[in-house]
Amino acid sequence: DGGITQSPKYLFRKEGQNVTLSCEQNLNHDAMYWYRQDPGQGLRLIYYSQIVNDFQKGDIAEGYSVSREKKESFPLTVTSAQKNPTAFYLCASSSGDTQYFGPGTRLTVL
Amino acid sequence: GESVGLHLPTLSVQEGDNSIINCAYSNSASDYFIWYKQESGKGPQFIIDIRSNMDKRQGQRVTVLLNKTVKHLSLQIAATQPGDSAVYFCAENIGSGAGSYQLTFGKGTKLSVIP
């Protein structure tokens, strides 16, 4: 996992609630990413940020929001607009082509 | 659809044997490839990478082969150990421009090592 931390490890959400997943890195990487992983599927990109105060939507951004106020931090908010949020969420960072991942947060909607 | 895929969803090998995991890609513009290992409930772990100007790259007990003619990537694990049991997936970067570091991921192959 090398320098990328995600919290919490497990998160439970009631329908209609917004929740925020934390991602921090001490690798001095410029770029950070959020992915969603569902069983039997490849990783799908939610949002990414190549520099502080700038971010772009990925393939499945609807129902999610992010911020990048600090180089080290890239929190992801799962809003009530996300209809099927139960999944394993992975954060990654990179200084070039190679992305390194955090340990993940498993979000379950009750 | 995804441009990165795998030939086999599951692979069982005897401990000590060599493992070969395959990946097909469809984008001929891809210039960078990575193999990741993901254990259950954990984040993907970088194993090895290769650029399109290379055919082969070796690491510790792992070798990645790239065949650009047939758009095929493989990961070879020598002397497979129980700790190698995990899901392995490949990723590609089409390199569409400076600062374009987005990767496309395959679904993965589950490797099971039989003691």
Side-chain angles (χ1 to χ4, degrees), chain A residues 28-40:
Chain A
N28 199 34
H29 287 169
D30 287 318
M32 298 186 73
Y33 312 79
W34 274 106
Y35 293 92
R36 171 181 171 137
Q37 187 175 37
D38 295 282

Side-chain angles (χ1 to χ4, degrees), chain A residues 9-72:
Chain A
K9 185 175 177 63
Y10 298 98
L11 185 58
F12 298 91
R13 190 195 93 171
K14 294 181 180 179
E15 288 195 20
Q17 282 184 335
N18 293 353
V19 291
T20 298
L21 283 59
S22 170
C23 178
E24 304 277 335
Q25 55 98 1
N26 62 3
L27 302 170
N28 199 34
H29 287 169
D30 287 318
M32 298 186 73
Y33 312 79
W34 274 106
Y35 293 92
R36 171 181 171 137
Q37 187 175 37
D38 295 282
Q41 297 193 34
L43 274 65
R44 292 184 289 168
L45 183 64
I46 304 173
Y47 268 99
Y48 66 101
S49 168
Q50 294 182 332
I51 197 169
V52 174
N53 292 323
D54 187 48
F55 49 84
Q56 286 79 41
K57 294 181 178 180
D59 300 321
I60 55 165
E62 185 176 353
Y64 301 97
S65 65
V66 294
S67 63
R68 187 85 186 276
E69 297 177 0
K70 298 186 300 182
K71 187 175 185 177
E72 302 79 18

Side-chain angles (χ1 to χ4, degrees), chain A residues 33 45 48 50 56 59 96-97 99, chain B residues 3 27-33 51-52 92-104:
Chain A
Y33 312 79
L45 183 64
Y48 66 101
Q50 294 182 332
Q56 286 79 41
D59 300 321
D97 296 43
Q99 293 183 23
Chain B
S3 65
N27 194 327
S28 58
S30 296
D31 66 352
Y32 179 65
F33 305 87
R51 299 201 176 273
S52 58
E92 63 176 321
N93 183 338
I94 64 171
S96 59
S100 176
Y101 301 139
Q102 291 188 57
L103 298 175
T104 300

Side-chain angles (χ1 to χ4, degrees), chain A residues 1-2 4 27 29 91-95 98-102, chain B residues 36 44 46:
Chain A
D1 301 333
I4 304 174
L27 302 170
H29 287 169
C91 177
S93 70
S94 72
S95 62
T98 308
Q99 293 183 23
Y100 297 93
F101 287 86
Chain B
Y36 288 96
F46 171 88

Side-chain angles (χ1 to χ4, degrees), chain B residues 37-86:
Chain B
K37 172 187 179 183
Q38 187 176 24
E39 297 175 86
S40 182
K42 297 184 178 180
Q45 176 187 356
F46 171 88
I47 300 175
I48 193 168
D49 58 0
I50 189 168
R51 299 201 176 273
S52 58
N53 60 352
M54 303 172 68
D55 297 323
K56 178 180 180 179
R57 191 163 188 221
Q58 290 184 293
Q60 186 177 11
R61 280 200 309 118
V62 295
T63 301
V64 55
L65 299 177
L66 177 61
N67 186 330
K68 294 180 286 293
T69 302
V70 295
K71 299 196 204 70
H72 183 267
L73 190 69
S74 69
L75 176 70
Q76 300 179 0
I77 304 174
T80 311
Q81 303 169 359
D84 294 327
S85 294

